[in-house]
């Protein structure tokens, strides 16, 4: 069985048959307008993190509030930054930015049958030594809990 995409974890939890039902399906057609806009938003968020002068939450929130980008979607990217800040505040702030774009593939294994792969958008090591991996969902701008 092929690995589950990390972004599909919640859907597979809610509908265990989804994984088997989707076996062998191929994506077809050009990317939708929402998909293209999502890519722009993801790129903006990656640029935000990689150009930040420091990782203090107050600085990051202020920078997101005053973010001026000509392209559409900056409000969603700023919202994503604020969501990250809310989570990391609960963990004492950010110690290290591990990566801030979707070029890194992560693979998670739980026995021989279950594997999840994905290209998350951001990974941070917090001051309480917890690692947080974020995969923005720009279509509905909400955090999706994994299981």
């Amino acid at each position: 069985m092929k690995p589950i995409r990390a972004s599909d974890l919640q859907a597979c939890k809610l509908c265990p048959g989804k994984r088997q039902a989707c076996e062998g399906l191929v994506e077809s057609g050009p990317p939708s307008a929402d998909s293209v806009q999502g890519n722009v938003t993801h790129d903006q968020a990656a640029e935000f993190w990689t150009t930040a002068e420091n990782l203090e939450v107050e600085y990051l929130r202020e920078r997101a509030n005053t973010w001026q980008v000509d392209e559409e979607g900056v409000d969603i990217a700023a919202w994503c930054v604020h969501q990250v800040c809310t989570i990391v505040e609960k963990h004492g702030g950010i110690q290290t930015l591990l990566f801030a774009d979707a070029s890194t593939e992560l693979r998670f294994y739980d026995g021989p049958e279950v594997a999840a792969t994905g290209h998350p958008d951001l990974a941070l090591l917090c001051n309480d030594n917890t690692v947080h991996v974020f995969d923005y969902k720009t279509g509905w701008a909400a955090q999706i809990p994994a299981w």
Side-chain angles (χ1 to χ4, degrees):
M1 202 172 263
K2 71 179 183 177
I4 301 171
R5 299 292 302 157
S7 53
D8 286 338
L9 287 174
Q10 185 187 34
C12 289
K13 178 183 177 190
L14 296 174
C15 180
K18 177 187 187 314
R19 191 168 176 212
Q20 187 174 9
C22 292
E23 279 293 322
L25 294 179
V26 282
E27 294 185 29
S28 61
S32 68
D34 286 340
S35 176
V36 171
Q37 181 57 58
N39 289 340
V40 169
T41 302
H42 281 77
D43 291 345
Q44 290 170 344
E47 192 245 340
F48 176 91
W49 288 104
T50 57
T51 61
E53 292 175 17
N54 70 67
L55 296 175
E56 296 295 323
V57 172
E58 289 179 20
Y59 162 79
L60 295 170
R61 283 191 185 281
E62 181 61 30
R63 185 167 181 234
N65 287 339
T66 59
W67 201 357
Q68 298 296 316
V69 177
D70 293 334
E71 299 175 50
E72 292 181 35
V74 71
D75 53 338
I76 296 173
W79 184 90
C80 290
V81 169
H82 281 291
Q83 294 303 306
V84 169
C85 288
T86 297
I87 292 168
V88 299
E89 280 178 319
K90 296 175 184 176
H91 296 275
I94 303 168
Q95 187 179 128
T96 306
L97 174 70
L98 301 174
F99 61 84
D101 62 38
S103 64
T104 302
E105 181 177 30
L106 296 182
R107 294 180 168 268
F108 306 93
Y109 295 96
D110 183 16
E113 291 296 316
V114 179
T117 66
H119 293 266
D121 300 303
L122 176 68
L124 302 168
L125 173 63
C126 287
N127 288 329
D128 64 356
N129 290 319
T130 57
V131 173
H132 298 267
V133 178
F134 298 89
D135 188 30
Y136 309 131
K137 298 295 165 211
T138 60
W140 53 84
Q143 182 182 2
I144 307 273
W147 45 288

